[in-house]
Amino acid sequence: MAKTCPKCRFENPDNTLYCGQCGAVLKAAEGSDITKTLVSPAEKLQKGTTLAGRYAIIEELGRGGMGVVYKAEDTKLKRTVALKFLPQELIHIPEVKARFMREAQAAAALDHPNICTVHEFDETEETTFISMAYIKGQSLKKKLDSGPLELEEAFNIAVQVAEGLWEAHKKGIVHRDIKSGNIMVTDNGQAKIMDFGLARKTEGTLITKEGSTMGTIAYMSPEQAQGEKVDHRTDIWSFGVVLYEMLTGKLPFRGEHEQTVVYSILKEKPKPVTDAQPEVPVAIEQVINKALEKNPDKRYQQIDDLLDDLKSIAAGIIPEEIKARLRKAKLSKRKRIITVSAMIAVIAILSLFIILRLFHSGDEMDKSIAVVPFHYLSDEPEKQYLADGVMEAILLNLSKMEDLRVVSRTSVEQYRETDKTVNTICQELDVAYLLEGSFQKFGDKAKLVVQLIKPGKERHVWANEYDRNWTEIFAVQSEVAQTVARELQVAIAPEEKQLIEKIPTTNMTAYDAYLHGQFHLDKVTLNDLDTAMRYFELAIVKDPEFAEAYVGIAGVWVWRQQFMVVSADEAAPKIREACEKALELDSSMSKAYEMLAGMHAWGSWDWKVGEEALKKAITTNPNSASAHSFYAFLLSILGRTEEAAGHMELGLKLDPHGLFIKCLYSWYLLYVHRYDDCISVCREVLDKSPDYFIIAQSLYTALFLTGRYEESLEAMELFYKGEFVDFDHAFDQYEKLGYAGTLNLEIDTLLEQSKSKSKSVRPTRLADLYLYTGNKERTLYWLEQAYEMRDLDLPCALTFPDRDILRGEPRYQELLRKMNLPLEK
C-alpha cells in the first residue's frame, strides 16, 4: 500500500519514512522505531560504585541516544574499561534490549585494531550494560570542531576506518550508523569504530519493523533515509560523508531542518571538496563522489575497493605506506610509477590529478543550471518578447526534470544586462552551468543560437544554431532542453519527456498573442495588465484550448484584485473559471493550482482547500520556488511554522534572488520571531532594489517590534508611498510629535485620501497605524472593515506577531473564528 506524502502528495512505498520527492518526514507505521535521541536518566552513578562485583565506577564519559557511558576499573582483570548502560526507561522494552544486546554480540564477533573491543554483555537486577575497551582520546567529531584535518591525518584515519569496516563486512555485519561521532581517535592517532548499536548480520532478522529508519540523518544513505532495505553499501555512503567532513570540516548534505537535509541527500550533489580545500587532490574528490552515488549500484560495491583506491593515493603522499593491491586496470600504471621512487610518484600523481580534473567524469557533475535572458538578435526592441518567451519555455521544460535543479526566472532576470562573468553568475546563483541564447524571427523563419557554458575557464560544453520554421519552435525548445539534459547526464522520466514534448498550441497567431500578453503581465502595472488581458483574450479566440492563455487571464485578475481596482467578489469567479479551464485542458499547470490556492485561502479563507491546491502545485512542479514559498507562508499564517521551515528553505534555494520569495521569507521570519534576521533580509533587498517597497511592510513591523520606532517610521513612509499614498511629510516631525503623534497625523492624511476612489487605502493599512498608536478600538474597527471588504492582507493583519494588544479581545477572536484561523489562547 502506497504512503502519500502530506506535503507534496507524492506516492511513496509503504515502508518509506522520508518522501522521495520533497524529503518530508512521513508518519511512521505503527510499531516503527525511528531513532531519536533519548533522554537518559538524570541520576548518575557515583564514583566508587561497584557493579556486578567487579566494575568500580570512575567517572561519566558521555550520554547518547542508546545509553550512558562510564569509565570504570575492572577489579578482577586490573584494567580500565568503558561501561555502556542501557537507559533505565528502556530496560523493560524487549525490542530495545535486544538491539542493545545485538550491539555487544556484533562487536564481540569482531577482533580488529580499528574496532573497539567489546569484552562482555552483563546485567544486574537494576541495569543492563556492555563492558568494552576504554579508549583514551577523543571522537573524530570533537577533533573536527577545530576545522578540517590535514590531508595526511585525514588519509591515515580514513584508511584505518575503511579497514575496520572491511573486517565487519567480511563477517556479514553492517554498522548502519557510521559517523564522525562514532569514530574515536586515540592519542597516538589510532582510529577505532564505536557503537555497533545499529549493526546487524546481513542475513539476520531486523528486530525493528521493516520500515524503521535508523542512524543519524546527515550521514544516512538515500535508501536508509527512505526506509528501504540496506546492505553494506550504506556504510560505504556514510563513510563517504565522514571522508568529506574530515577534508572540508563540513557535512556534504546540510540544512536547517530535517526535511531539507533529507531532500539534499535524495536530490542534490554536494559541493566539490576542492571548492573548499583546493589542495585536496581531485582523485580524492572522485573517491568521495563515487562513495556518495545515490544509486547503490553505482557506488563502490565493496569497501575494500574503496580502501585500495585510498591506499594508492595515500602512497603518493606518504610513500612508506604503499600497501595497496590495485584491482582496477586504471590504477596499475600509477602503481608501477609509485614503486620507482617517492619523488617521481608525487610528480606523476599530480599530473594525473590535473588530467582527471580536465576530464572530469559526467557522473560527478553538479546537475544545476540557470538559463539567463536571451537576446533578440536585431535592432527591434519591440520583439524582445519573442526571445523572452523562447527562453522561458526552455527554462520551464528544464524545470520539469526532477533530477535537475533549475534556478527560477526571477533570479536570472537581474542578469539581462550585465557585464558579470560566467564564473560570477554561477557563483551567485550556486549553479554548475549556464545556458545562454539569442533569437530572431523573420517572416515564417526563426533562428535560435544557444550555448551551454561551464564556469572555470568558461568553456563551451555544447552550442548549436537552429534555423527552422516558426511553426517548429516548440520542437526546437524541447530539443534544446533534452540536449542539455544529455550533456549534464540528467535522467528524463517518460512522463517528464511527454510533458517536455507537449505542444501547447498549433495556432502560431495564438502563441504570438500569448507571448505578448506574458511580456506585459510581467511588468505588473495597471496599463500593462489591461494590455496583457487583450492579448490573452486574443490567444483564446485563436485557440480556445490554449491552457497557458487561461493561466495568463487568471494572473491578470489576481493582480487587479491585489491592486484593489476590482473587489474580491468580482475577481474570485474570474480566477476560478480561468484556472479550472486551464487545468481541464492541461492538469500539469502548476501556476493554475497556485492561483487557485491564493483565491481559496487568501480570498475565501478556506485554508484547507488552499493547502490542497498548493500541494498539487508542488506535485506538478517540485522545483517551483513560488509554490514552496507560498506554502510556507500559508503554514506560517496557520501557526505551523515548523512545517513551513523546510518549504521556505527550498523556495530560497530554487530562487535565491527572487524579490517576492525574499519578501515571503521576511514574513516567515516575523512569524518565527527572528526580527533581526528579518531586518537584515529587508535591508539587503532594498539596498539592491530600492523601488521594491512591498518588503518595507515586514521591515517596519520588525523595527517596531524591536523598539526602533524612528527607523520604523522611515520604512513605513517608503511602504505607503509605494502604494501611491501621498504624505504631508509628518514623519519629519517625529522629534516634536513622538511616535504615536506622528502616526495619528498620518492617519488623518490617509482618511482624507481614502475618500477618493482613485487613492483608496486598504483598511488593513489603517488598522496597522492605529495598532501602533495603541488604539485598540480603532484597530478592531478597521480590521472588521477589512473583513467586510475581503481585504487580501487581512490574514497577515490578524496573525503577525505585533498583535499582542489584541489578544483576548472578543472581537479579535471572532474575526479569527470567522476566517478559520487558529484562535489565540
Side-chain angles (χ1 to χ4, degrees):
M1 186 173 120
K3 185 181 289 186
T4 303
C5 175
K7 296 191 183 335
C8 72
R9 310 308 296 171
F10 184 72
E11 295 293 325
N12 296 275
D14 184 48
N15 62 354
T16 303
L17 290 179
Y18 291 97
C19 177
Q21 183 80 3
C22 69
V25 181
L26 303 180
K27 185 177 180 181
E30 185 178 354
S32 292
D33 184 12
I34 304 175
T35 298
K36 293 185 178 179
T37 300
L38 299 171
V39 180
S40 297
E43 298 80 21
K44 292 185 178 181
L45 293 176
Q46 299 300 314
K47 182 178 180 179
T49 301
T50 301
L51 294 171
R54 63 186 292 186
Y55 296 112
I57 298 297
I58 298 174
E59 62 178 332
E60 180 179 322
L61 297 175
R63 295 179 178 231
M66 276 300 291
V68 58
V69 181
Y70 285 90
K71 180 180 178 181
E73 181 186 359
D74 183 340
T75 56
K76 287 187 177 180
L77 297 178
K78 303 300 181 184
R79 62 185 177 187
T80 303
V81 298
L83 303 181
K84 181 175 180 180
F85 291 83
L86 185 64
Q88 289 293 322
E89 67 268 29
L90 300 180
I91 290 176
H92 304 296
I93 303 177
E95 293 84 355
V96 177
K97 187 174 180 180
R99 191 194 321 152
F100 193 70
M101 185 182 297
R102 185 172 69 251
E103 173 182 354
Q105 293 170 338
L110 302 172
D111 182 14
H112 191 274
N114 299 120
I115 296 176
C116 178
T117 302
V118 169
H119 301 312
E120 67 174 343
F121 173 87
D122 206 344
E123 55 186 327
T124 66
E125 292 182 0
E126 297 83 15
T127 189
T128 302
F129 62 92
I130 296 171
S131 169
M132 64 185 95
Y134 169 69
I135 299 172
K136 187 177 181 181
Q138 62 181 328
S139 72
L140 178 57
K141 181 176 178 62
K142 184 68 175 176
K143 282 182 69 71
L144 291 171
D145 285 345
S146 57
L149 304 183
E150 293 294 330
L151 193 58
E152 182 176 337
E153 184 178 15
F155 264 118
N156 184 35
I157 292 173
V159 168
Q160 292 184 67
V161 173
E163 287 180 332
L165 279 176
W166 177 225
E167 176 67 18
H169 290 178
K170 282 190 297 184
K171 295 190 176 180
I173 296 173
V174 182
H175 190 287
R176 298 201 298 161
D177 195 22
I178 292 296
K179 58 184 179 182
S180 56
N182 277 342
I183 298 169
M184 288 291 293
V185 182
T186 67
D187 293 343
N188 62 3
Q190 186 177 21
K192 288 183 177 286
I193 303 171
M194 309 288 293
D195 201 353
F196 272 76
L198 301 182
R200 69 176 175 90
K201 282 277 189 178
T202 305
E203 302 301 326
T205 300
L206 185 60
I207 295 287
T208 53
K209 291 196 174 183
E210 190 64 27
S212 296
T213 299
M214 313 294 291
T216 304
I217 292 171
Y219 299 83
M220 282 183 177
S221 64
E223 62 270 24
Q224 192 176 14
Q226 291 184 271
E228 298 173 0
K229 183 178 180 181
V230 301
D231 55 25
H232 60 280
R233 293 173 296 182
T234 199
D235 284 349
I236 293 174
W237 167 285
S238 301
F239 177 76
V241 174
V242 172
L243 187 51
Y244 186 104
E245 187 182 14
M246 283 196 292
L247 293 171
T248 67
K250 298 179 180 179
L251 290 165
F253 307 103
R254 303 187 296 276
E256 292 185 13
H257 307 280
E258 181 176 311
Q259 178 185 344
T260 51
V261 176
V262 175
Y263 180 89
S264 182
I265 290 170
L266 298 177
K267 304 289 184 184
E268 298 175 345
K269 287 280 188 182
K271 289 186 177 180
V273 172
T274 50
D275 282 3
Q277 299 292 342
E279 69 277 9
V280 173
V282 71
I284 297 303
E285 187 172 83
Q286 290 185 331
V287 169
I288 294 172
N289 288 341
K290 188 169 183 179
L292 295 180
E293 282 284 357
K294 299 189 188 300
N295 183 344
D297 293 335
K298 292 184 179 180
R299 263 176 240 155
Y300 285 101
Q301 296 303 290
Q302 300 293 337
I303 191 69
D304 65 323
D305 292 335
L306 189 157
L307 181 59
D308 282 349
D309 281 359
L310 278 181
K311 286 184 175 180
S312 298
I313 297 167
I317 301 171
I318 312 171
E320 64 269 24
E321 290 191 12
I322 299 176
K323 300 175 182 178
R325 291 184 304 113
L326 299 179
R327 297 182 176 182
K328 300 178 181 180
K330 69 176 183 178
L331 296 177
S332 59
K333 182 178 180 180
R334 191 191 309 173
K335 183 178 180 181
R336 289 195 300 272
I337 296 174
I338 290 173
T339 57
V340 176
S341 72
M343 186 61 70
I344 296 176
V346 171
I347 296 171
I349 291 174
L350 286 174
S351 300
L352 181 59
F353 293 161
I354 294 171
I355 293 171
L356 288 172
R357 184 179 290 278
L358 291 175
F359 298 95
H360 198 280
S361 168
D363 286 340
E364 299 167 6
M365 292 178 177
D366 180 6
K367 297 173 183 178
S368 57
I369 190 170
V371 184
V372 293
F374 288 3
H375 296 285
Y376 195 76
L377 285 172
S378 66
D379 295 329
E380 298 175 278
E382 71 276 6
K383 291 187 177 181
Q384 179 60 41
Y385 75 94
L386 292 169
D388 291 346
V390 172
M391 168 262 187
E392 185 163 9
I394 292 172
L395 186 151
L396 290 174
N397 280 336
L398 290 169
S399 70
K400 293 169 184 174
M401 303 175 193
E402 185 180 345
D403 198 30
L404 180 65
R405 178 166 62 86
V406 184
V407 173
S408 297
R409 180 181 173 182
T410 49
S411 277
V412 299
E413 186 62 30
Q414 63 180 302
Y415 302 104
R416 180 175 293 276
E417 300 293 339
T418 183
D419 55 0
K420 291 184 177 181
T421 65
V422 170
N423 285 349
T424 300
I425 296 173
C426 286
Q427 184 176 9
E428 290 179 355
L429 294 175
D430 190 24
V431 294
Y433 294 87
L434 279 187
L435 186 69
E436 293 182 338
S438 56
F439 179 79
Q440 184 180 17
K441 180 178 179 291
F442 38 94
D444 294 332
K445 299 291 185 181
K447 180 178 182 179
L448 175 65
V449 179
V450 287
Q451 48 191 352
L452 181 64
I453 306 174
K454 181 176 176 61
K457 294 187 177 181
E458 300 192 8
R459 61 186 180 89
H460 289 72
V461 178
W462 165 79
N464 201 3
E465 181 176 315
Y466 299 87
D467 285 299
R468 304 282 181 87
N469 291 327
W470 174 233
T471 55
E472 299 177 81
I473 191 62
F474 303 120
V476 170
Q477 290 163 172
S478 170
E479 184 179 335
V480 170
Q482 294 188 63
T483 302
V484 169
R486 284 196 298 272
E487 292 294 331
L488 272 61
Q489 297 192 2
V490 172
I492 304 177
E495 59 272 17
E496 293 171 347
K497 190 172 188 293
Q498 185 178 3
L499 288 174
I500 292 167
E501 294 178 346
K502 185 173 183 177
I503 296 175
T505 179
T506 57
N507 188 301
M508 300 312 293
T509 303
Y511 185 58
D512 185 84
Y514 167 76
L515 293 180
H516 260 116
Q518 192 61 48
F519 176 78
H520 286 282
L521 179 62
D522 289 341
K523 292 186 176 182
V524 195
T525 69
L526 292 177
N527 288 335
D528 279 295
L529 290 178
D530 292 339
T531 304
M533 179 63 82
R534 289 195 295 271
Y535 276 116
F536 289 139
E537 288 174 339
L538 174 60
I540 290 172
V541 168
K542 296 297 182 182
D543 181 0
E545 296 188 352
F546 191 0
E548 291 177 351
Y550 288 100
V551 174
I553 286 177
V556 171
W557 283 107
V558 167
W559 279 111
R560 283 176 172 174
Q561 183 182 357
Q562 185 66 32
F563 282 130
M564 294 184 69
V565 296
V566 297
S567 67
D569 290 339
E570 182 181 356
K574 301 289 187 181
I575 297 169
R576 180 186 293 109
E577 179 184 4
C579 288
E580 289 178 351
K581 181 63 176 178
L583 293 170
E584 176 188 329
L585 295 168
D586 185 351
S587 61
S588 68
M589 295 279 101
S590 179
K591 272 294 178 188
Y593 286 120
E594 285 186 46
M595 285 187 282
L596 280 176
M599 185 199 68
H600 287 296
W602 282 269
S604 303
W605 308 317
D606 190 335
W607 303 100
K608 184 176 181 181
V609 174
E611 182 174 1
E612 289 304 313
L614 279 174
K615 288 177 180 178
K616 288 181 180 177
I618 292 171
T619 301
T620 53
N621 186 0
N623 287 316
S624 171
S626 57
H628 280 291
S629 301
F630 267 124
Y631 191 29
F633 184 32
L634 180 145
L635 291 170
S636 298
I637 289 173
L638 298 179
R640 294 154 60 187
T641 52
E642 289 187 8
E643 293 179 60
H647 287 284
M648 194 70 253
E649 194 169 338
L650 285 175
L652 290 168
K653 193 173 187 66
L654 292 165
D655 194 0
H657 299 296
L659 294 180
F660 193 53
I661 301 298
K662 288 289 183 70
C663 190
L664 291 170
Y665 181 44
S666 71
W667 292 339
Y668 163 77
L669 291 172
L670 286 177
Y671 281 109
V672 295
H673 308 290
R674 290 168 55 186
Y675 305 135
D676 288 337
D677 289 338
C678 177
I679 293 168
S680 297
V681 169
C682 295
R683 297 284 195 208
E684 176 189 341
V685 169
L686 290 170
D687 284 345
K688 295 180 179 178
S689 306
D691 295 332
Y692 193 67
F693 69 92
I694 296 174
I695 204 166
Q697 182 182 21
S698 42
L699 176 58
Y700 76 65
T701 303
L703 289 167
F704 170 78
L705 288 167
T706 53
R708 297 156 68 175
Y709 300 123
E710 188 170 9
E711 292 178 74
S712 176
L713 286 176
E714 293 172 357
M716 201 178 291
E717 183 173 19
L718 172 63
F719 177 75
Y720 279 93
K721 285 185 176 179
E723 288 212 328
F724 313 109
V725 176
D726 296 328
F727 285 99
D728 57 2
H729 304 291
F731 286 151
D732 298 336
Q733 303 183 46
Y734 171 72
E735 291 186 6
K736 176 183 177 182
L737 300 174
Y739 188 69
T742 302
L743 291 183
N744 279 319
L745 195 57
E746 289 306 327
I747 289 170
D748 292 339
T749 302
L750 291 179
L751 286 172
E752 187 63 31
Q753 291 183 30
S754 66
K755 296 175 183 178
S756 168
K757 188 174 182 180
S758 63
K759 290 186 177 180
S760 60
V761 180
R762 287 181 182 277
T764 49
R765 304 294 182 248
L766 292 163
D768 271 1
L769 295 175
Y770 275 120
L771 178 76
Y772 291 173
T773 67
N775 190 329
K776 289 193 290 186
E777 174 62 32
R778 299 303 291 168
T779 300
L780 288 167
Y781 169 80
W782 283 107
L783 288 175
E784 289 164 345
Q785 293 301 304
Y787 174 82
E788 295 299 327
M789 293 180 61
R790 306 190 79 79
D791 189 330
L792 289 176
D793 283 356
L794 185 55
C796 288
L798 287 172
T799 58
F800 267 0
D802 54 6
R803 314 286 119 164
D804 283 342
I805 68 168
L806 302 178
R807 313 225 185 265
E809 290 289 330
R811 290 163 64 190
Y812 175 65
Q813 295 284 342
E814 177 63 12
L815 281 171
L816 291 176
R817 186 193 63 77
K818 290 194 294 187
M819 292 184 62
N820 304 308
L821 291 168
L823 297 180
E824 295 290 338
K825 297 180 181 179

